[in-house]
Amino acid sequence: DLDRVLGREWFDMFGLSVATSDSIVHVASAILRLRQASVNPHIFVMVGGPMASIHADLAQLCGADAMAVEAASGVELATRWVVASRLQA
């Protein structure tokens, strides 16, 4: 269960794929729940998947920090964020 893992271990970020428009509300609810469960109060959350190509505001709709349309750009964005956050610590 992801809630328990995030509550026990430190993670810098996590990402979720949004497959359908109907799942946006469920992903938003999951993100809120997972943020609350996380031991990292500043966990970075990304969304992507098929809906990222359709909804330019997907991150906002889901309550995520960022979104990526393709996996490679998502990895690059997440890496930049993690490096920057560690430099600030």
Side-chain angles (χ1 to χ4, degrees), residues 21-45:
S21 290
D22 293 342
S23 64
I24 292 172
V25 68
H26 301 291
V27 170
S29 177
I31 288 172
L32 179 61
R33 187 183 76 249
L34 294 168
R35 283 187 191 275
Q36 291 171 341
S38 177
V39 295
N40 177 356
H42 305 291
I43 195 161
F44 183 71
V45 180

Side-chain angles (χ1 to χ4, degrees), residues 2 5 10 29 40 59 88:
L2 194 51
V5 173
W10 184 275
S29 177
N40 177 356
Q88 291 176 358

Side-chain angles (χ1 to χ4, degrees), residues 81-89:
W81 186 87
V82 169
V83 168
S85 69
R86 288 184 179 174
L87 291 174
Q88 291 176 358

Side-chain angles (χ1 to χ4, degrees), residues 1-87:
D1 183 39
L2 194 51
D3 297 59
R4 284 184 289 185
V5 173
L6 288 171
R8 284 194 315 252
E9 297 179 48
W10 184 275
F11 289 88
D12 293 312
M13 64 88 54
F14 71 87
L16 296 174
S17 179
V18 185
T20 66
S21 290
D22 293 342
S23 64
I24 292 172
V25 68
H26 301 291
V27 170
S29 177
I31 288 172
L32 179 61
R33 187 183 76 249
L34 294 168
R35 283 187 191 275
Q36 291 171 341
S38 177
V39 295
N40 177 356
H42 305 291
I43 195 161
F44 183 71
V45 180
M46 288 188 66
V47 290
M51 291 298 101
S53 297
I54 297 169
H55 295 282
D57 59 346
L58 184 63
Q60 183 180 0
L61 290 171
C62 292
D65 300 304
M67 74 163 212
V69 175
E70 60 180 32
S73 63
V75 170
E76 183 179 323
L77 177 61
T79 301
R80 282 196 319 251
W81 186 87
V82 169
V83 168
S85 69
R86 288 184 179 174
L87 291 174

